[in-house]
Amino acid sequence: MFSNLTAEALRVIRNMTGDGSAEYASLWQFPRESERGDLATSVALGLSKTLKQNPLDLAKQLAEALGRVAGVERAEAMAPGYVNIWLTPAALMEELQETRVTVAPAKTRKKEAPVIIDFCGPNIAKPLGVHHLGSHVIGQAIINLYRHTGANVIGWSYPGDWGTQFGKLAVAYRKWGTGKSPKEHSVEELLALYVRFHDEAEKEPSLEDEARAAFKKIEDGDPELRAFWADVVAVSNAALVRLYGRLHLHVDVETAESFYEERMAPIVEEGRKKGVFQTGEGGALIVPFPEGKGLPPLLMQKSDGTTLYATRDLAMVRYRIDTYHPSALYYVVDVAQSMHFKQLFETCRMLGWELPLLEHTVFGRMRFPEASMSTRKGTSLRMEQVLDEAVKRAGDTIRAHGDTIQTDDPSGLAETMGIGAVVYGILSQNRRMDMVFDWDKMLSFEGNSAPYLQYTHARARSVLRKAEGEEGKAKKGAVPPGMAPSERLLLRTLLQFPLVLEEARETRLPHKLTNFLYELCQAFNKFYNTEPILKAEDAARSFRLALTLLAADVLQSGAEILTLRVPDRM
C-alpha cells in the first residue's frame, strides 16, 4: 500500500520537476489527529520553493493523483500545502502485515560490511559509576536497533586495563595492602587503595614518580607486576559479568587497551615517517593540527617513551579497519570527550588512511546532584548502587499499589521494574541533551515510563489469556463494518512501527522508539477503555483480539530492543 502511494507520489513529483529523487522516509508523516488522515505529506511545501508556485495548488495536484490509488478512501489538500490521506479499512489491515513481520528480528545481512559500535569502556579496578550508564544503555539500544533490522553489527567493549593508574595501584598495594593476594580483593577494596594513593600523593608528590616507574615496568614485562595486573583485571571482569547480566548487555568483541600494546609501535613509526607526529617539548611526540582546525596538539607519546590513551585509540582504529573492514565506526561516548574524538578523527585523516564513516555518537551529561563524580576522591555514585536503589523503590511501589498489581514473584517484578525504570528513564530522553535523573518520573505508572509500558503490556496479555484458544482468530481478525475511532487510532499507531525502527536506527536516537511505545500504550489503553473486547460480537471480537495481540507483540519487541523486560502478569 505505502509503496504504491510512494510510487504515485514520485511519478507526480517527477512530472512537476523532472526529478524523482524524493525519499520515502521524508515523504510521509503519521498525523496524531485522526481528522488529518492516516497519512500526510508536506512535500508540496518544499516543491513550491523549487518551482516558485503556490504550495496549495501543488498539493491539490498531488491529492487528485493519490486519491485514485487503490486502497485510498480519499485524499485532501489542506492549506498551506499539506495532503492528508485516508485509507480504506481493508488497506489499513493489509498494511499491518509489515508490522507483524517487523516484530521478529530480521535475518542478519552477513555479507554487508559491519557497523562497529564502541559502547562500553569500563575502567578496570574501579566500580562503574552512574555516569557510565549512558554509554552502556544507549549503546546497547543502538546495537539492538541495528541487529533487529538485519544489519551486520558488532557491539565492541574497550576496557581501560592499561595506563599509569595501574602503576598507582601497584604502589598502593605494596605500601598499604592488607596481606591478601590481589585476586582476593573486591573491586571496592581495589578502589579504596587507589583513593588512598591520591590522598597520600597530595602530601608526598614523589609517589607519582613511583607510580610512573611502576607502570613502565608493567609495560616492559616485569613478571611480578604483570601477574599483579592480571589478577586485578580478573577481579574486575567477574564483577562486570554480574552487572551486565542485570542490564541485559551483551558484548560481541572485547579488546582492552593492553591488546594494543604490540600494535602501537608501528603506528608511532608511521606517524613519524609521514611527519604527522612531531617532537614536542621535552622529547614527547605530538600531533600539531593545521591552522583553522581549532584543535590543540594531541600528545601521542610521553618523553619517557610511555604510550597514552590516544596512541591506543589510533592503534584500535587501524586494527578494526584491517580486521573487520567496517562501513562505520560509532563511538557512544559522552560530550566531555568531544575534543578527543575530533583530534582522533583528524589524526586518522592526516595519516592518509582509507576510513569508514567515523562518528562520535555523543550524549549529554547525566545531571545527578546527589553526589559528585570524582573517582579519585572515591565519592562517585556507583552504578550498582543506583540499580539497587531503583529495585528497592520499585518494591515499595509494588507494595503501595496492593492488590492492583498481581504477581507471584514480587522480588523478581521489583528487579524488572527497577532496572527497566532506570534504563527507560535514560533512553526516553534525547541523547544529544543533558539527561535528568528523576526517580518519581522513572517509577511512575503514568506518563512516559517503563512501569507504564510494562503495565500496558501485562494488561494486553491478560486479555489474550482470557481468550485462550482463539489465537487463530486473533491473528486473522478482519475489519468489521464501522471501525471505531479508538480502533482506527490503535491500528494507525501500529502501522508506524517499521518506520520508527528505521528512523531510530539511522539517527541512532533510541528516544524515537520510546516515544512511539508511549504513544502505542496511550492508543491501546484508550481502545481498551472504550471498546469491549471479550464481550464484543464475533466479527468485532476477533478484530479487537487481533489488535490486542499485535499491540502486545510490538510492545514486547520494542521493549526488548531497549533491553527492557515486560512481564505477562502485573
Side-chain angles (χ1 to χ4, degrees):
M1 179 70 248
F2 289 165
S3 58
N4 291 341
L5 277 169
T6 300
E8 180 61 15
L10 293 179
R11 185 191 68 77
V12 175
I13 292 169
R14 189 161 46 248
N15 288 342
M16 291 176 177
T17 66
D19 178 13
S21 62
E23 295 181 1
Y24 181 94
S26 61
L27 197 56
W28 305 114
Q29 297 92 42
F30 290 88
R32 294 195 175 203
E33 302 84 3
S34 57
E35 60 270 18
R36 295 185 183 274
D38 301 312
L39 283 174
T41 180
S42 59
V43 68
L45 294 173
L47 287 173
S48 70
K49 296 176 183 178
T50 303
L51 301 176
K52 309 297 182 187
Q53 295 183 33
N54 185 305
L56 185 55
D57 291 340
L58 296 173
K60 288 178 179 177
Q61 293 179 50
L62 193 57
E64 183 179 355
L66 294 176
R68 294 192 294 267
V69 174
V72 173
E73 205 168 67
R74 71 181 195 275
E76 294 181 358
M78 302 287 291
Y82 295 98
V83 177
N84 297 332
I85 299 167
W86 286 259
L87 303 177
T88 64
L92 285 169
M93 201 65 184
E94 180 184 342
E95 200 63 34
L96 275 186
Q97 182 56 29
E98 185 176 352
T99 298
R100 292 191 184 95
V101 170
T102 309
V103 164
K107 186 177 180 180
T108 302
R109 300 182 293 276
K110 293 182 179 179
K111 291 185 178 180
E112 70 181 22
V115 169
I116 293 176
I117 299 177
D118 185 321
F119 76 115
C120 58
N123 287 319
I124 298 300
K126 300 174 187 175
L128 289 177
V130 67
H131 54 294
H132 291 109
L133 271 168
S135 58
H136 286 75
V137 167
I138 295 170
Q140 186 67 69
I142 294 172
I143 291 165
N144 292 350
L145 280 164
Y146 274 88
R147 183 161 289 132
H148 190 90
T149 51
N152 188 7
V153 62
I154 299 171
W156 200 297
S157 176
Y158 181 44
D161 72 339
W162 208 243
T164 308
Q165 67 267 31
F166 289 94
K168 296 176 180 180
L169 193 57
V171 171
Y173 175 75
R174 186 182 74 242
K175 288 181 175 290
W176 309 297
T178 58
K180 294 192 297 185
S181 70
K183 60 186 176 185
E184 293 176 314
H185 285 66
S186 67
V187 175
E188 287 71 22
E189 289 171 327
L190 293 173
L191 175 64
L193 286 172
Y194 183 75
V195 170
R196 181 165 182 182
F197 175 91
H198 282 279
D199 289 341
E200 298 291 340
E202 288 181 0
K203 298 176 283 187
E204 191 178 344
S206 63
L207 286 172
E208 296 283 359
D209 294 330
E210 288 187 48
R212 282 189 285 271
F215 178 61
K216 185 68 167 61
K217 287 184 177 180
I218 294 174
E219 280 200 306
D220 292 341
D222 180 277
E224 183 179 347
L225 285 172
R226 278 292 181 112
F228 167 80
W229 167 81
D231 285 344
V232 168
V233 170
V235 169
S236 292
N237 284 341
L240 286 170
V241 167
R242 292 191 297 271
L243 185 57
Y244 285 5
R246 296 183 75 183
L247 288 166
H248 306 293
L249 303 182
H250 174 73
V251 173
D252 298 308
V253 175
E254 180 173 279
T255 57
E257 287 187 60
S258 60
F259 177 80
Y260 300 97
E261 181 186 2
E262 304 298 328
R263 293 172 170 82
M264 288 182 281
I267 299 295
V268 172
E269 182 62 22
E270 180 183 355
R272 283 179 183 274
K273 284 184 177 179
K274 291 180 175 178
V276 176
F277 299 175
Q278 298 180 19
T279 303
E281 186 177 345
L285 276 184
I286 63 170
V287 179
F289 295 101
E291 288 186 21
K293 292 292 183 180
L295 299 174
L298 178 63
L299 183 60
M300 294 304 304
Q301 185 174 279
K302 296 180 183 178
S303 55
D304 64 2
T306 55
T307 56
L308 296 107
Y309 193 81
T311 329
R312 294 184 280 281
D313 260 11
L314 269 181
M316 180 169 61
V317 172
R318 186 71 265 168
Y319 172 76
R320 287 169 168 172
I321 293 172
D322 292 343
T323 306
Y324 293 92
H325 313 290
S327 61
L329 277 172
Y330 298 117
Y331 293 82
V332 184
V333 184
D334 80 14
V335 66
Q337 297 298 316
S338 293
M339 179 57 73
H340 170 74
F341 285 108
K342 289 176 183 176
Q343 293 172 306
L344 176 67
F345 297 164
E346 185 59 28
T347 301
C348 291
R349 287 187 280 267
M350 289 170 64
L351 287 166
W353 293 351
E354 186 175 340
L355 297 168
L357 172 64
L358 299 175
E359 178 185 278
H360 175 200
T361 307
V362 67
F363 61 89
R365 304 304 299 268
M366 185 175 292
R367 284 161 43 194
F368 207 123
E370 282 85 345
S372 68
M373 297 299 175
S374 171
T375 306
R376 290 188 176 190
K377 295 296 183 182
T379 56
S380 174
L381 189 59
R382 297 173 196 171
M383 187 188 294
E384 200 147 21
Q385 288 176 311
V386 172
L387 298 182
D388 289 343
E389 179 65 18
V391 172
K392 176 184 174 298
R393 293 188 183 220
D396 293 341
T397 300
I398 291 168
R399 286 187 289 275
H401 278 74
D403 293 338
T404 60
I405 295 181
Q406 301 293 326
T407 179
D408 296 327
D409 182 13
S411 61
L413 180 59
E415 177 81 5
T416 296
M417 276 181 56
I419 302 296
V422 171
V423 170
Y424 191 95
I426 292 169
L427 295 178
S428 62
Q429 301 180 64
N430 187 333
R431 64 168 170 80
R432 292 170 177 157
M433 313 293 288
D434 283 350
M435 292 172 282
V436 180
F437 200 95
D438 186 327
W439 283 118
D440 292 336
K441 183 178 179 181
M442 286 181 176
L443 286 165
S444 173
F445 275 80
E446 300 175 355
N448 195 6
S449 68
Y452 181 58
L453 167 61
Q454 290 164 334
Y455 187 74
T456 302
H457 172 265
R459 168 179 272 183
R461 294 295 181 197
S462 175
V463 172
L464 295 168
R465 277 195 305 276
K466 292 174 183 176
E468 190 175 358
E470 299 184 47
E471 293 86 353
K473 289 183 180 179
K475 291 178 181 177
K476 298 177 183 178
V479 181
M483 194 189 307
S486 65
E487 292 174 320
R488 193 176 190 106
L489 173 63
L490 178 56
L491 199 160
R492 288 170 55 238
T493 305
L494 288 166
L495 287 178
Q496 299 176 40
F497 187 51
L499 291 180
V500 168
L501 289 183
E502 182 180 340
E503 185 179 6
R505 182 198 67 212
E506 289 304 304
T507 59
R508 290 165 291 287
L509 292 172
H511 80 278
K512 291 182 178 291
L513 177 55
T514 66
N515 288 347
F516 164 76
L517 293 175
Y518 175 48
E519 290 178 10
L520 179 56
C521 287
Q522 289 179 306
F524 176 78
N525 285 313
K526 184 175 182 180
F527 158 75
Y528 177 90
N529 290 321
T530 57
E531 302 301 328
I533 302 173
L534 298 176
K535 294 183 179 180
E537 295 181 0
D538 285 348
R541 179 185 173 98
S542 60
F543 172 62
R544 290 169 187 172
L545 283 173
L547 289 180
T548 301
L549 175 61
L550 188 54
D553 287 347
V554 169
L555 289 174
Q556 182 172 347
S557 179
E560 290 179 351
I561 290 170
L562 298 172
T563 75
L564 275 69
R565 298 299 179 264
V566 284
D568 286 348
R569 299 174 186 271
M570 190 169 172

